[in-house]
Amino acid sequence: MTIREVSALVLDCEDFKEKDAIVSLLVEEEIIRVYARGINKITSKNRMLCQPFSRVNITIDQKGERMPLLIHGNVEKYYFRIQESLVAQTVCSVLRDIIKKSHVNHDTFVLVESVWSAFHTGEANVYTKACILLKEILMSEGIGIQVEGCVNCSRKNKIETISLLDGGFLCTECNANRYPKRSKQELIQYYSLMHVGKDKQEEFFDTFLFTVDDFIFIANWFEHYTYIALPSLRLLKSIKSIEL
C-alpha cells in the first residue's frame, strides 16, 4: 500500500457499477482520477468528499498502475451555492471540461477555486475571474488571442474588432464589415486580458468587468482552435438564449 495525502478540488463524480464512482480531482500540478468505493451508499462516510465544487483533503492508496483508491478525508470548503444557479453551474462545467483537456499547474488550481468562491459569494467580477482562467489556458495551449495589432496587416491603428477565424484583432480595412465592430472599451479589455500578469490580477479584477458573453466568446476560441467539442458550452448558449 502506497499512501498519499492530497489537497484537491473535486471536478466531477461519475457513477461506476452500482454503488461506486470515479472522481476527477484537480490537485496542485495535475488531474487525477480516484476510485471511490461504495460512495453511493447512503451510509458511506466518504459520500461528501466526492461532491463537485468542493475543496477536500483526502488520503488515497496509490499503488502501481491501478487507479488510486479513496480511503478517507475531510471537506475543507464546499461551494454549494454554485448549484443554486443553472448558469453558474454550467459555466463551471465548461471550465471543468476545458481544464480536463488542458495542461494544468498550480495557477490553474488557485484560479479555479477563485472562480468557485466568486460564484458562491455572488461577486460582481466572477466572469472576469473566469475569463482570466480561460486566458491562462489559451496561453498554455499556445492558442492565445493575437492583440498586438491587426493579424492580417500588422497595423496598430484603426483596430475595430476581434475575429475568431482570423485569430485576433482586425483593422477597419481587413475587417471590411465582415464582423461586428467592437467598442474601444471592449478592445482595451481584451488587450489588457491577454497581457495581465499574475502579479497584476487583483488590480485587473478591480478595473475591468467581463460578462458571460465574454466567457462564451473565449470558450468558443478554445473549442475552435483545439478542435474539442464542448457539449457544456452548447448548453450554456442554450440557457443564455432562453434567458434573453
mmCIF file with all atom_site columns, all heavy atoms in Angstrom, residues 197-218:
data_model
loop_
_atom_site.group_PDB
_atom_site.id
_atom_site.type_symbol
_atom_site.label_atom_id
_atom_site.label_alt_id
_atom_site.label_comp_id
_atom_site.label_asym_id
_atom_site.label_entity_id
_atom_site.label_seq_id
_atom_site.pdbx_PDB_ins_code
_atom_site.Cartn_x
_atom_site.Cartn_y
_atom_site.Cartn_z
_atom_site.occupancy
_atom_site.B_iso_or_equiv
_atom_site.pdbx_formal_charge
_atom_site.auth_seq_id
_atom_site.auth_comp_id
_atom_site.auth_asym_id
_atom_site.auth_atom_id
_atom_site.pdbx_PDB_model_num
ATOM 1   N N   . GLY A 1 197 ? -0.403  40.013 -16.013 1.00 0.00 ? 197 GLY A N   1
ATOM 2   C CA  . GLY A 1 197 ? 0.429   39.018 -15.337 1.00 0.00 ? 197 GLY A CA  1
ATOM 3   C C   . GLY A 1 197 ? -0.186  38.622 -14.012 1.00 0.00 ? 197 GLY A C   1
ATOM 4   O O   . GLY A 1 197 ? -1.115  39.264 -13.515 1.00 0.00 ? 197 GLY A O   1
ATOM 5   N N   . LYS A 1 198 ? 0.353   37.571 -13.430 1.00 0.00 ? 198 LYS A N   1
ATOM 6   C CA  . LYS A 1 198 ? -0.187  37.067 -12.173 1.00 0.00 ? 198 LYS A CA  1
ATOM 7   C C   . LYS A 1 198 ? -0.131  38.119 -11.073 1.00 0.00 ? 198 LYS A C   1
ATOM 8   O O   . LYS A 1 198 ? -1.039  38.209 -10.235 1.00 0.00 ? 198 LYS A O   1
ATOM 9   C CB  . LYS A 1 198 ? 0.587   35.811 -11.761 1.00 0.00 ? 198 LYS A CB  1
ATOM 10  C CG  . LYS A 1 198 ? 0.052   35.139 -10.513 1.00 0.00 ? 198 LYS A CG  1
ATOM 11  C CD  . LYS A 1 198 ? 0.635   33.744 -10.338 1.00 0.00 ? 198 LYS A CD  1
ATOM 12  C CE  . LYS A 1 198 ? 2.140   33.785 -10.184 1.00 0.00 ? 198 LYS A CE  1
ATOM 13  N NZ  . LYS A 1 198 ? 2.683   32.430 -9.876  1.00 0.00 ? 198 LYS A NZ  1
ATOM 14  N N   . ASP A 1 199 ? 0.918   38.944 -11.083 1.00 0.00 ? 199 ASP A N   1
ATOM 15  C CA  . ASP A 1 199 ? 1.083   39.941 -10.028 1.00 0.00 ? 199 ASP A CA  1
ATOM 16  C C   . ASP A 1 199 ? 0.124   41.120 -10.181 1.00 0.00 ? 199 ASP A C   1
ATOM 17  O O   . ASP A 1 199 ? -0.025  41.931 -9.258  1.00 0.00 ? 199 ASP A O   1
ATOM 18  C CB  . ASP A 1 199 ? 2.528   40.451 -10.013 1.00 0.00 ? 199 ASP A CB  1
ATOM 19  C CG  . ASP A 1 199 ? 2.939   41.087 -11.339 1.00 0.00 ? 199 ASP A CG  1
ATOM 20  O OD1 . ASP A 1 199 ? 2.426   40.653 -12.389 1.00 0.00 ? 199 ASP A OD1 1
ATOM 21  O OD2 . ASP A 1 199 ? 3.765   42.007 -11.322 1.00 0.00 ? 199 ASP A OD2 1
ATOM 22  N N   . LYS A 1 200 ? -0.559  41.215 -11.326 1.00 0.00 ? 200 LYS A N   1
ATOM 23  C CA  . LYS A 1 200 ? -1.469  42.335 -11.580 1.00 0.00 ? 200 LYS A CA  1
ATOM 24  C C   . LYS A 1 200 ? -2.931  41.901 -11.634 1.00 0.00 ? 200 LYS A C   1
ATOM 25  O O   . LYS A 1 200 ? -3.805  42.715 -11.960 1.00 0.00 ? 200 LYS A O   1
ATOM 26  C CB  . LYS A 1 200 ? -1.094  43.011 -12.900 1.00 0.00 ? 200 LYS A CB  1
ATOM 27  C CG  . LYS A 1 200 ? 0.299   43.625 -12.946 1.00 0.00 ? 200 LYS A CG  1
ATOM 28  C CD  . LYS A 1 200 ? 0.412   44.819 -12.016 1.00 0.00 ? 200 LYS A CD  1
ATOM 29  C CE  . LYS A 1 200 ? 1.773   45.505 -12.145 1.00 0.00 ? 200 LYS A CE  1
ATOM 30  N NZ  . LYS A 1 200 ? 1.892   46.676 -11.255 1.00 0.00 ? 200 LYS A NZ  1
ATOM 31  N N   . GLN A 1 201 ? -3.210  40.644 -11.314 1.00 0.00 ? 201 GLN A N   1
ATOM 32  C CA  . GLN A 1 201 ? -4.573  40.148 -11.472 1.00 0.00 ? 201 GLN A CA  1
ATOM 33  C C   . GLN A 1 201 ? -5.564  40.835 -10.551 1.00 0.00 ? 201 GLN A C   1
ATOM 34  O O   . GLN A 1 201 ? -6.687  41.161 -10.962 1.00 0.00 ? 201 GLN A O   1
ATOM 35  C CB  . GLN A 1 201 ? -4.605  38.635 -11.260 1.00 0.00 ? 201 GLN A CB  1
ATOM 36  C CG  . GLN A 1 201 ? -4.045  37.858 -12.436 1.00 0.00 ? 201 GLN A CG  1
ATOM 37  C CD  . GLN A 1 201 ? -4.059  36.364 -12.219 1.00 0.00 ? 201 GLN A CD  1
ATOM 38  O OE1 . GLN A 1 201 ? -4.567  35.870 -11.214 1.00 0.00 ? 201 GLN A OE1 1
ATOM 39  N NE2 . GLN A 1 201 ? -3.495  35.620 -13.155 1.00 0.00 ? 201 GLN A NE2 1
ATOM 40  N N   . GLU A 1 202 ? -5.199  41.082 -9.306  1.00 0.00 ? 202 GLU A N   1
ATOM 41  C CA  . GLU A 1 202 ? -6.122  41.730 -8.376  1.00 0.00 ? 202 GLU A CA  1
ATOM 42  C C   . GLU A 1 202 ? -6.496  43.121 -8.864  1.00 0.00 ? 202 GLU A C   1
ATOM 43  O O   . GLU A 1 202 ? -7.663  43.528 -8.789  1.00 0.00 ? 202 GLU A O   1
ATOM 44  C CB  . GLU A 1 202 ? -5.506  41.793 -6.977  1.00 0.00 ? 202 GLU A CB  1
ATOM 45  C CG  . GLU A 1 202 ? -5.409  40.454 -6.276  1.00 0.00 ? 202 GLU A CG  1
ATOM 46  C CD  . GLU A 1 202 ? -6.763  39.776 -6.118  1.00 0.00 ? 202 GLU A CD  1
ATOM 47  O OE1 . GLU A 1 202 ? -7.764  40.486 -5.857  1.00 0.00 ? 202 GLU A OE1 1
ATOM 48  O OE2 . GLU A 1 202 ? -6.831  38.544 -6.270  1.00 0.00 ? 202 GLU A OE2 1
ATOM 49  N N   . GLU A 1 203 ? -5.530  43.849 -9.362  1.00 0.00 ? 203 GLU A N   1
ATOM 50  C CA  . GLU A 1 203 ? -5.799  45.182 -9.921  1.00 0.00 ? 203 GLU A CA  1
ATOM 51  C C   . GLU A 1 203 ? -6.702  45.063 -11.144 1.00 0.00 ? 203 GLU A C   1
ATOM 52  O O   . GLU A 1 203 ? -7.609  45.882 -11.351 1.00 0.00 ? 203 GLU A O   1
ATOM 53  C CB  . GLU A 1 203 ? -4.479  45.853 -10.303 1.00 0.00 ? 203 GLU A CB  1
ATOM 54  C CG  . GLU A 1 203 ? -4.620  47.241 -10.892 1.00 0.00 ? 203 GLU A CG  1
ATOM 55  C CD  . GLU A 1 203 ? -3.280  47.846 -11.276 1.00 0.00 ? 203 GLU A CD  1
ATOM 56  O OE1 . GLU A 1 203 ? -2.241  47.389 -10.765 1.00 0.00 ? 203 GLU A OE1 1
ATOM 57  O OE2 . GLU A 1 203 ? -3.294  48.791 -12.093 1.00 0.00 ? 203 GLU A OE2 1
ATOM 58  N N   . PHE A 1 204 ? -6.457  44.030 -11.959 1.00 0.00 ? 204 PHE A N   1
ATOM 59  C CA  . PHE A 1 204 ? -7.262  43.787 -13.151 1.00 0.00 ? 204 PHE A CA  1
ATOM 60  C C   . PHE A 1 204 ? -8.719  43.543 -12.769 1.00 0.00 ? 204 PHE A C   1
ATOM 61  O O   . PHE A 1 204 ? -9.639  44.066 -13.397 1.00 0.00 ? 204 PHE A O   1
ATOM 62  C CB  . PHE A 1 204 ? -6.702  42.590 -13.914 1.00 0.00 ? 204 PHE A CB  1
ATOM 63  C CG  . PHE A 1 204 ? -7.341  42.339 -15.256 1.00 0.00 ? 204 PHE A CG  1
ATOM 64  C CD1 . PHE A 1 204 ? -6.863  42.960 -16.395 1.00 0.00 ? 204 PHE A CD1 1
ATOM 65  C CD2 . PHE A 1 204 ? -8.422  41.475 -15.371 1.00 0.00 ? 204 PHE A CD2 1
ATOM 66  C CE1 . PHE A 1 204 ? -7.453  42.728 -17.633 1.00 0.00 ? 204 PHE A CE1 1
ATOM 67  C CE2 . PHE A 1 204 ? -9.015  41.241 -16.598 1.00 0.00 ? 204 PHE A CE2 1
ATOM 68  C CZ  . PHE A 1 204 ? -8.524  41.865 -17.734 1.00 0.00 ? 204 PHE A CZ  1
ATOM 69  N N   . PHE A 1 205 ? -8.955  42.737 -11.730 1.00 0.00 ? 205 PHE A N   1
ATOM 70  C CA  . PHE A 1 205 ? -10.315 42.438 -11.273 1.00 0.00 ? 205 PHE A CA  1
ATOM 71  C C   . PHE A 1 205 ? -11.066 43.698 -10.866 1.00 0.00 ? 205 PHE A C   1
ATOM 72  O O   . PHE A 1 205 ? -12.284 43.795 -11.035 1.00 0.00 ? 205 PHE A O   1
ATOM 73  C CB  . PHE A 1 205 ? -10.287 41.463 -10.083 1.00 0.00 ? 205 PHE A CB  1
ATOM 74  C CG  . PHE A 1 205 ? -9.724  40.110 -10.396 1.00 0.00 ? 205 PHE A CG  1
ATOM 75  C CD1 . PHE A 1 205 ? -9.032  39.397 -9.430  1.00 0.00 ? 205 PHE A CD1 1
ATOM 76  C CD2 . PHE A 1 205 ? -9.865  39.547 -11.660 1.00 0.00 ? 205 PHE A CD2 1
ATOM 77  C CE1 . PHE A 1 205 ? -8.510  38.141 -9.708  1.00 0.00 ? 205 PHE A CE1 1
ATOM 78  C CE2 . PHE A 1 205 ? -9.346  38.288 -11.949 1.00 0.00 ? 205 PHE A CE2 1
ATOM 79  C CZ  . PHE A 1 205 ? -8.663  37.586 -10.973 1.00 0.00 ? 205 PHE A CZ  1
ATOM 80  N N   . ASP A 1 206 ? -10.333 44.665 -10.331 1.00 0.00 ? 206 ASP A N   1
ATOM 81  C CA  . ASP A 1 206 ? -10.956 45.907 -9.871  1.00 0.00 ? 206 ASP A CA  1
ATOM 82  C C   . ASP A 1 206 ? -11.180 46.903 -11.003 1.00 0.00 ? 206 ASP A C   1
ATOM 83  O O   . ASP A 1 206 ? -11.932 47.868 -10.838 1.00 0.00 ? 206 ASP A O   1
ATOM 84  C CB  . ASP A 1 206 ? -10.085 46.561 -8.795  1.00 0.00 ? 206 ASP A CB  1
ATOM 85  C CG  . ASP A 1 206 ? -10.013 45.736 -7.519  1.00 0.00 ? 206 ASP A CG  1
ATOM 86  O OD1 . ASP A 1 206 ? -10.946 44.957 -7.272  1.00 0.00 ? 206 ASP A OD1 1
ATOM 87  O OD2 . ASP A 1 206 ? -9.009  45.866 -6.794  1.00 0.00 ? 206 ASP A OD2 1
ATOM 88  N N   . THR A 1 207 ? -10.517 46.663 -12.148 1.00 0.00 ? 207 THR A N   1
ATOM 89  C CA  . THR A 1 207 ? -10.561 47.634 -13.249 1.00 0.00 ? 207 THR A CA  1
ATOM 90  C C   . THR A 1 207 ? -11.546 47.248 -14.341 1.00 0.00 ? 207 THR A C   1
ATOM 91  O O   . THR A 1 207 ? -12.258 48.109 -14.875 1.00 0.00 ? 207 THR A O   1
ATOM 92  C CB  . THR A 1 207 ? -9.161  47.792 -13.870 1.00 0.00 ? 207 THR A CB  1
ATOM 93  O OG1 . THR A 1 207 ? -8.226  48.149 -12.846 1.00 0.00 ? 207 THR A OG1 1
ATOM 94  C CG2 . THR A 1 207 ? -9.158  48.856 -14.957 1.00 0.00 ? 207 THR A CG2 1
ATOM 95  N N   . PHE A 1 208 ? -11.591 45.959 -14.672 1.00 0.00 ? 208 PHE A N   1
ATOM 96  C CA  . PHE A 1 208 ? -12.397 45.511 -15.804 1.00 0.00 ? 208 PHE A CA  1
ATOM 97  C C   . PHE A 1 208 ? -13.528 44.590 -15.352 1.00 0.00 ? 208 PHE A C   1
ATOM 98  O O   . PHE A 1 208 ? -13.408 43.892 -14.348 1.00 0.00 ? 208 PHE A O   1
ATOM 99  C CB  . PHE A 1 208 ? -11.523 44.779 -16.826 1.00 0.00 ? 208 PHE A CB  1
ATOM 100 C CG  . PHE A 1 208 ? -10.444 45.646 -17.416 1.00 0.00 ? 208 PHE A CG  1
ATOM 101 C CD1 . PHE A 1 208 ? -9.113  45.504 -17.008 1.00 0.00 ? 208 PHE A CD1 1
ATOM 102 C CD2 . PHE A 1 208 ? -10.747 46.606 -18.365 1.00 0.00 ? 208 PHE A CD2 1
ATOM 103 C CE1 . PHE A 1 208 ? -8.117  46.297 -17.543 1.00 0.00 ? 208 PHE A CE1 1
ATOM 104 C CE2 . PHE A 1 208 ? -9.748  47.409 -18.906 1.00 0.00 ? 208 PHE A CE2 1
ATOM 105 C CZ  . PHE A 1 208 ? -8.432  47.258 -18.503 1.00 0.00 ? 208 PHE A CZ  1
ATOM 106 N N   . LEU A 1 209 ? -14.590 44.586 -16.140 1.00 0.00 ? 209 LEU A N   1
ATOM 107 C CA  . LEU A 1 209 ? -15.743 43.761 -15.811 1.00 0.00 ? 209 LEU A CA  1
ATOM 108 C C   . LEU A 1 209 ? -16.178 42.998 -17.063 1.00 0.00 ? 209 LEU A C   1
ATOM 109 O O   . LEU A 1 209 ? -16.800 43.560 -17.964 1.00 0.00 ? 209 LEU A O   1
ATOM 110 C CB  . LEU A 1 209 ? -16.892 44.619 -15.283 1.00 0.00 ? 209 LEU A CB  1
ATOM 111 C CG  . LEU A 1 209 ? -18.045 43.865 -14.612 1.00 0.00 ? 209 LEU A CG  1
ATOM 112 C CD1 . LEU A 1 209 ? -17.555 43.152 -13.345 1.00 0.00 ? 209 LEU A CD1 1
ATOM 113 C CD2 . LEU A 1 209 ? -19.178 44.827 -14.275 1.00 0.00 ? 209 LEU A CD2 1
ATOM 114 N N   . PHE A 1 210 ? -15.826 41.731 -17.113 1.00 0.00 ? 210 PHE A N   1
ATOM 115 C CA  . PHE A 1 210 ? -16.221 40.873 -18.223 1.00 0.00 ? 210 PHE A CA  1
ATOM 116 C C   . PHE A 1 210 ? -17.586 40.249 -17.924 1.00 0.00 ? 210 PHE A C   1
ATOM 117 O O   . PHE A 1 210 ? -18.033 40.197 -16.778 1.00 0.00 ? 210 PHE A O   1
ATOM 118 C CB  . PHE A 1 210 ? -15.170 39.783 -18.449 1.00 0.00 ? 210 PHE A CB  1
ATOM 119 C CG  . PHE A 1 210 ? -13.924 40.278 -19.117 1.00 0.00 ? 210 PHE A CG  1
ATOM 120 C CD1 . PHE A 1 210 ? -12.985 41.035 -18.420 1.00 0.00 ? 210 PHE A CD1 1
ATOM 121 C CD2 . PHE A 1 210 ? -13.665 39.994 -20.453 1.00 0.00 ? 210 PHE A CD2 1
ATOM 122 C CE1 . PHE A 1 210 ? -11.834 41.496 -19.026 1.00 0.00 ? 210 PHE A CE1 1
ATOM 123 C CE2 . PHE A 1 210 ? -12.520 40.453 -21.075 1.00 0.00 ? 210 PHE A CE2 1
ATOM 124 C CZ  . PHE A 1 210 ? -11.596 41.204 -20.362 1.00 0.00 ? 210 PHE A CZ  1
ATOM 125 N N   . THR A 1 211 ? -18.246 39.771 -18.972 1.00 0.00 ? 211 THR A N   1
ATOM 126 C CA  . THR A 1 211 ? -19.591 39.212 -18.855 1.00 0.00 ? 211 THR A CA  1
ATOM 127 C C   . THR A 1 211 ? -19.599 37.749 -19.264 1.00 0.00 ? 211 THR A C   1
ATOM 128 O O   . THR A 1 211 ? -18.599 37.218 -19.767 1.00 0.00 ? 211 THR A O   1
ATOM 129 C CB  . THR A 1 211 ? -20.569 39.980 -19.755 1.00 0.00 ? 211 THR A CB  1
ATOM 130 O OG1 . THR A 1 211 ? -20.226 39.719 -21.134 1.00 0.00 ? 211 THR A OG1 1
ATOM 131 C CG2 . THR A 1 211 ? -20.512 41.482 -19.480 1.00 0.00 ? 211 THR A CG2 1
ATOM 132 N N   . VAL A 1 212 ? -20.758 37.121 -19.097 1.00 0.00 ? 212 VAL A N   1
ATOM 133 C CA  . VAL A 1 212 ? -20.898 35.732 -19.533 1.00 0.00 ? 212 VAL A CA  1
ATOM 134 C C   . VAL A 1 212 ? -20.719 35.634 -21.046 1.00 0.00 ? 212 VAL A C   1
ATOM 135 O O   . VAL A 1 212 ? -20.235 34.607 -21.560 1.00 0.00 ? 212 VAL A O   1
ATOM 136 C CB  . VAL A 1 212 ? -22.259 35.144 -19.083 1.00 0.00 ? 212 VAL A CB  1
ATOM 137 C CG1 . VAL A 1 212 ? -23.408 35.848 -19.774 1.00 0.00 ? 212 VAL A CG1 1
ATOM 138 C CG2 . VAL A 1 212 ? -22.324 33.642 -19.340 1.00 0.00 ? 212 VAL A CG2 1
ATOM 139 N N   . ASP A 1 213 ? -21.066 36.678 -21.790 1.00 0.00 ? 213 ASP A N   1
ATOM 140 C CA  . ASP A 1 213 ? -20.856 36.663 -23.239 1.00 0.00 ? 213 ASP A CA  1
ATOM 141 C C   . ASP A 1 213 ? -19.370 36.642 -23.577 1.00 0.00 ? 213 ASP A C   1
ATOM 142 O O   . ASP A 1 213 ? -18.951 35.980 -24.543 1.00 0.00 ? 213 ASP A O   1
ATOM 143 C CB  . ASP A 1 213 ? -21.521 37.880 -23.887 1.00 0.00 ? 213 ASP A CB  1
ATOM 144 C CG  . ASP A 1 213 ? -23.037 37.799 -23.838 1.00 0.00 ? 213 ASP A CG  1
ATOM 145 O OD1 . ASP A 1 213 ? -23.578 36.703 -24.050 1.00 0.00 ? 213 ASP A OD1 1
ATOM 146 O OD2 . ASP A 1 213 ? -23.681 38.839 -23.569 1.00 0.00 ? 213 ASP A OD2 1
ATOM 147 N N   . ASP A 1 214 ? -18.566 37.364 -22.808 1.00 0.00 ? 214 ASP A N   1
ATOM 148 C CA  . ASP A 1 214 ? -17.111 37.313 -22.998 1.00 0.00 ? 214 ASP A CA  1
ATOM 149 C C   . ASP A 1 214 ? -16.602 35.908 -22.701 1.00 0.00 ? 214 ASP A C   1
ATOM 150 O O   . ASP A 1 214 ? -15.746 35.368 -23.421 1.00 0.00 ? 214 ASP A O   1
ATOM 151 C CB  . ASP A 1 214 ? -16.417 38.317 -22.072 1.00 0.00 ? 214 ASP A CB  1
ATOM 152 C CG  . ASP A 1 214 ? -16.720 39.756 -22.420 1.00 0.00 ? 214 ASP A CG  1
ATOM 153 O OD1 . ASP A 1 214 ? -16.579 40.116 -23.596 1.00 0.00 ? 214 ASP A OD1 1
ATOM 154 O OD2 . ASP A 1 214 ? -17.113 40.508 -21.516 1.00 0.00 ? 214 ASP A OD2 1
ATOM 155 N N   . PHE A 1 215 ? -17.122 35.316 -21.645 1.00 0.00 ? 215 PHE A N   1
ATOM 156 C CA  . PHE A 1 215 ? -16.720 33.954 -21.287 1.00 0.00 ? 215 PHE A CA  1
ATOM 157 C C   . PHE A 1 215 ? -17.040 32.989 -22.422 1.00 0.00 ? 215 PHE A C   1
ATOM 158 O O   . PHE A 1 215 ? -16.204 32.152 -22.794 1.00 0.00 ? 215 PHE A O   1
ATOM 159 C CB  . PHE A 1 215 ? -17.437 33.521 -20.009 1.00 0.00 ? 215 PHE A CB  1
ATOM 160 C CG  . PHE A 1 215 ? -17.147 32.105 -19.604 1.00 0.00 ? 215 PHE A CG  1
ATOM 161 C CD1 . PHE A 1 215 ? -16.031 31.803 -18.844 1.00 0.00 ? 215 PHE A CD1 1
ATOM 162 C CD2 . PHE A 1 215 ? -17.996 31.073 -20.003 1.00 0.00 ? 215 PHE A CD2 1
ATOM 163 C CE1 . PHE A 1 215 ? -15.747 30.478 -18.487 1.00 0.00 ? 215 PHE A CE1 1
ATOM 164 C CE2 . PHE A 1 215 ? -17.732 29.754 -19.651 1.00 0.00 ? 215 PHE A CE2 1
ATOM 165 C CZ  . PHE A 1 215 ? -16.604 29.456 -18.897 1.00 0.00 ? 215 PHE A CZ  1
ATOM 166 N N   . ILE A 1 216 ? -18.228 33.104 -22.988 1.00 0.00 ? 216 ILE A N   1
ATOM 167 C CA  . ILE A 1 216 ? -18.631 32.231 -24.099 1.00 0.00 ? 216 ILE A CA  1
ATOM 168 C C   . ILE A 1 216 ? -17.714 32.453 -25.300 1.00 0.00 ? 216 ILE A C   1
ATOM 169 O O   . ILE A 1 216 ? -17.297 31.491 -25.965 1.00 0.00 ? 216 ILE A O   1
ATOM 170 C CB  . ILE A 1 216 ? -20.101 32.482 -24.466 1.00 0.00 ? 216 ILE A CB  1
ATOM 171 C CG1 . ILE A 1 216 ? -21.017 31.951 -23.358 1.00 0.00 ? 216 ILE A CG1 1
ATOM 172 C CG2 . ILE A 1 216 ? -20.455 31.831 -25.804 1.00 0.00 ? 216 ILE A CG2 1
ATOM 173 C CD1 . ILE A 1 216 ? -22.481 32.318 -23.526 1.00 0.00 ? 216 ILE A CD1 1
ATOM 174 N N   . PHE A 1 217 ? -17.383 33.704 -25.586 1.00 0.00 ? 217 PHE A N   1
ATOM 175 C CA  . PHE A 1 217 ? -16.508 34.015 -26.726 1.00 0.00 ? 217 PHE A CA  1
ATOM 176 C C   . PHE A 1 217 ? -15.140 33.347 -26.562 1.00 0.00 ? 217 PHE A C   1
ATOM 177 O O   . PHE A 1 217 ? -14.609 32.732 -27.503 1.00 0.00 ? 217 PHE A O   1
ATOM 178 C CB  . PHE A 1 217 ? -16.343 35.531 -26.857 1.00 0.00 ? 217 PHE A CB  1
ATOM 179 C CG  . PHE A 1 217 ? -15.428 35.947 -27.978 1.00 0.00 ? 217 PHE A CG  1
ATOM 180 C CD1 . PHE A 1 217 ? -15.855 35.919 -29.288 1.00 0.00 ? 217 PHE A CD1 1
ATOM 181 C CD2 . PHE A 1 217 ? -14.122 36.367 -27.712 1.00 0.00 ? 217 PHE A CD2 1
ATOM 182 C CE1 . PHE A 1 217 ? -15.013 36.298 -30.330 1.00 0.00 ? 217 PHE A CE1 1
ATOM 183 C CE2 . PHE A 1 217 ? -13.268 36.745 -28.738 1.00 0.00 ? 217 PHE A CE2 1
ATOM 184 C CZ  . PHE A 1 217 ? -13.710 36.709 -30.052 1.00 0.00 ? 217 PHE A CZ  1
ATOM 185 N N   . ILE A 1 218 ? -14.565 33.443 -25.377 1.00 0.00 ? 218 ILE A N   1
ATOM 186 C CA  . ILE A 1 218 ? -13.237 32.867 -25.149 1.00 0.00 ? 218 ILE A CA  1
ATOM 187 C C   . ILE A 1 218 ? -13.302 31.342 -25.119 1.00 0.00 ? 218 ILE A C   1
ATOM 188 O O   . ILE A 1 218 ? -12.398 30.653 -25.609 1.00 0.00 ? 218 ILE A O   1
ATOM 189 C CB  . ILE A 1 218 ? -12.612 33.429 -23.863 1.00 0.00 ? 218 ILE A CB  1
ATOM 190 C CG1 . ILE A 1 218 ? -12.516 34.948 -23.938 1.00 0.00 ? 218 ILE A CG1 1
ATOM 191 C CG2 . ILE A 1 218 ? -11.214 32.835 -23.642 1.00 0.00 ? 218 ILE A CG2 1
ATOM 192 C CD1 . ILE A 1 218 ? -12.075 35.616 -22.649 1.00 0.00 ? 218 ILE A CD1 1
#
